[in-house]
Amino acid sequence: MKKPPLFAGPHRVVVLLLDLALWTAAYAGAFVIRMDLTPYPAGFDHLEATLLSLLIVKAAVFILAGSYRGIVMYATIPDLLAIVRTSTFASGAALIAFSLLPGHRPFSRGVLAIDWMLTIMLLAGSRVAWRMFREGLLGKALREDFKRVLIVGAGRAGVSLAKDLMSLRRSDVEVIGFVDDDPGKQRSTLLGRPILGTTRDLPEIRRSRPVDQVIVAIPSAPPRVLRRITEQARGIRDVRVIPSLETLLRGKASIVQSMPVSEDTFLSRSAVDMAAAELNRFYEKKRVLITGAGGSIGSELARQLAQRQDGRLERLLLLDCAETPLWEVHRQASAHLGARAVPVLASVRDPHRLRELLVRERPDVILHAAALKHVAMCEEHPLEALATNSWASCRLAELACELGVPNFTFVSTDKAVAPSCVMGASKRFAETYVRSLAQVSATRFSAVRFGNVLGSNGSVLPLFHEQIARGGPVTVTDPRATRYFMTIPEACGLILQATRIAQGGEVYVLEMGEPVRVLDLAHNLIRLYGYEPGRDIEVKIIGLRPGEKLHETLVDEAEETEALPTAKLMRIRGRGQENRRCREMLQALETQLRHRDAPGALRVVGQLVPTYRSAPLPAAGAQAS
């Protein structure tokens, strides 16, 4: 095995130079103290004659003892004990050297004894002072950008966590204190931080002082206790739980309890990377309009385009009717594009506003991601779903055709295949209409179909995270239910690639691998949190909701797919409905929407989408289960 170097990096030389200065000060101080602070020429002559030899001896001993392999900023009690031990050896070596070298016989053995004590004090003090300074005890008062952390649990795990957070590696974190339910620990301090009360005092602590994050360091806490702590900490934006080291080593938990897990962990295949040089070249110098830019898909589209096309995209128009999400995605995009990222606060159901926008901005690409997507909500409010997903999408596609927008991509869903719900039917209606426009337009119309997008707003994964954080139960519709899953980056990459390679009238899907059983996904996520399904966290079967299928598919029985070499894409070709018939159906749908006739509107949808099998409409005021 290769022996470690005597100096672990050039900055250790700086530490040695500092020590040389401290040794000099200690030796001089020893003479001053031994002479009772009275000037004595013979003593100073001896100091001058022997100082160099002393420094050489001490430097040699400290170097050979490996004192400069350690990291000074992380000095601990063992490091301080090593200073005492090495200083003792160095003083002994100096005494022997002075006895052997001519002219070095000690002026007084008391000088070397005092020098030994001063050396230990100065070296230890320098290490402690340096660590205090770097950990922020001197500098944190000047900063306002650190995170204030409250630790729940003043036991072994809490102390270990606090020590780590208070080290240099987490100098952006301020541990403000602990809470613990042990009565014997109240009104005490730990590592210089106060124990502020019990877990029942969390609401009062939050009101009396700023708390940015609560970390629960009670590895043995059962879910019901964690749920109670979470409820008490309500209002604090970030509450996390850490597992014990022993639990991690035995494989019973994952660091997911304190770190979010990547969504592609739950795929039945390897995630597909859509980043390609051809993709970047296609969008260069283009003006792109994203509808629904504040949603999960729209915002990721904006981020990907802004980051990849930094300096090349001519204009990025971000349209949404929700002000706060629009503000946030515009803030992120403008960090890369500056004034070329433009927020547009508007509804896709306002054709006059959209016409004005398209005439003024003349986009080269429209990525239409705006939609109502929650199955239960669309079943409860079918007219709103049809107005947004069907009518507004078709009118926007017509505007693109009329004004000569070169590229239009419609974001569809796997629920549009043989739809059994209003949301799927509304999407299939628009998908059919958009494909029909490709027969009569120079605009390159295309559509993409997604599986379930992991991590998107309202999707199953965030719901499971929330339910586990509450201590359960985790709800699954049916133990046999399966779904195709994809990540948000994959979904957005599919949209961007489909837009690039579209010829007009095609539907694009991603090779999704095998469908994943939703129950398996729930069990896997529970285990990643360190719990056992059915024992620690209940899994509750609630039954399929109105409009939901047991299994989803990406391709209709009457459709044929063609594999493409581009990033595992598949293309669905085929002649769609005639544009004249689609226009007639759109006009009929518009009439039913104007009259607020939900059954009539769904009958119109069924004429254009014959595979739609509608469920009975809910009674007025009823809530979808």
Side-chain angles (χ1 to χ4, degrees), residues 463-525:
L463 174 63
F464 285 170
H465 278 294
E466 179 183 334
Q467 291 174 334
I468 294 171
R470 291 200 309 261
V474 172
T475 57
V476 176
T477 56
D478 190 287
R480 300 165 295 167
T482 62
R483 294 291 184 267
Y484 288 100
F485 289 105
M486 64 194 310
T487 65
I488 294 178
E490 281 185 321
C492 296
L494 172 59
I495 295 171
L496 297 176
Q497 283 285 15
T499 304
R500 181 183 73 85
I501 65 177
Q503 299 172 353
E506 314 98 300
V507 176
Y508 291 91
V509 297
L510 187 68
E511 290 183 14
M512 302 285 286
E514 293 298 320
V516 176
R517 207 165 60 124
V518 180
L519 182 63
D520 292 339
L521 188 149
H523 285 173
N524 291 337
L525 186 59

Side-chain angles (χ1 to χ4, degrees), residues 159-179:
V159 171
S160 298
L161 173 65
K163 285 181 177 179
D164 183 65
L165 293 178
M166 292 161 63
S167 71
L168 174 68
R169 289 165 290 179
R170 298 309 309 260
S171 59
D172 59 337
V173 172
E174 171 70 10
V175 178
I176 64 171
F178 300 83
V179 296

Side-chain angles (χ1 to χ4, degrees), residues 241-363:
V241 181
I242 63 168
S244 66
L245 178 60
E246 179 183 4
T247 304
L248 282 170
L249 292 174
R250 293 184 178 181
K252 295 180 180 179
S254 167
I255 203 67
V256 69
Q257 289 180 269
S258 58
M259 295 284 288
V261 68
S262 173
E263 282 83 8
D264 58 18
T265 303
F266 304 99
L267 299 178
S268 61
R269 54 185 170 79
S270 299
V272 177
D273 182 10
M274 296 286 183
E278 295 83 2
L279 198 63
N280 293 334
R281 286 195 292 269
F282 174 79
Y283 288 95
E284 188 172 353
K285 301 301 181 183
K286 284 189 169 54
R287 304 167 74 92
V288 179
L289 167 64
I290 301 174
T291 69
S296 303
I297 301 301
S299 60
E300 179 65 19
L301 278 171
R303 283 188 289 269
Q304 286 196 21
L305 284 172
Q307 292 169 9
R308 292 180 182 178
Q309 300 297 323
D310 188 1
R312 296 189 292 270
L313 197 67
E314 183 173 332
R315 204 159 178 83
L316 182 60
L317 306 167
L318 306 169
L319 186 146
D320 206 293
C321 62
E323 176 197 18
T324 301
L326 179 62
W327 177 88
E328 176 61 24
V329 69
H330 173 251
R331 182 187 67 81
Q332 296 174 6
S334 60
H336 297 273
L337 299 176
R340 288 172 293 153
V342 180
V344 181
L345 188 61
S347 170
V348 292
R349 286 161 62 166
D350 185 349
H352 301 293
R353 177 86 165 90
L354 292 178
R355 175 181 289 273
E356 175 188 89
L357 176 68
L358 297 187
V359 169
R360 184 181 71 247
E361 296 290 349
R362 292 291 176 181

Side-chain angles (χ1 to χ4, degrees), residues 147-224:
K147 180 182 293 185
R148 301 168 183 86
V149 175
L150 178 65
I151 297 176
V152 177
R156 185 182 303 173
V159 171
S160 298
L161 173 65
K163 285 181 177 179
D164 183 65
L165 293 178
M166 292 161 63
S167 71
L168 174 68
R169 289 165 290 179
R170 298 309 309 260
S171 59
D172 59 337
V173 172
E174 171 70 10
V175 178
I176 64 171
F178 300 83
V179 296
D180 197 287
D181 288 337
D182 184 352
K185 295 179 180 178
Q186 302 307 309
R187 301 182 181 276
S188 303
T189 60
L190 188 61
L191 300 178
R193 303 298 190 269
I195 295 179
L196 299 170
T198 68
T199 54
R200 291 180 176 82
D201 298 320
L202 281 170
E204 180 60 32
I205 294 171
R206 179 178 60 83
R207 286 190 292 267
S208 63
R209 64 184 67 212
V211 180
D212 300 315
Q213 185 180 63
V214 169
I215 302 180
V216 182
I218 311 176
S220 59
R224 58 181 176 78

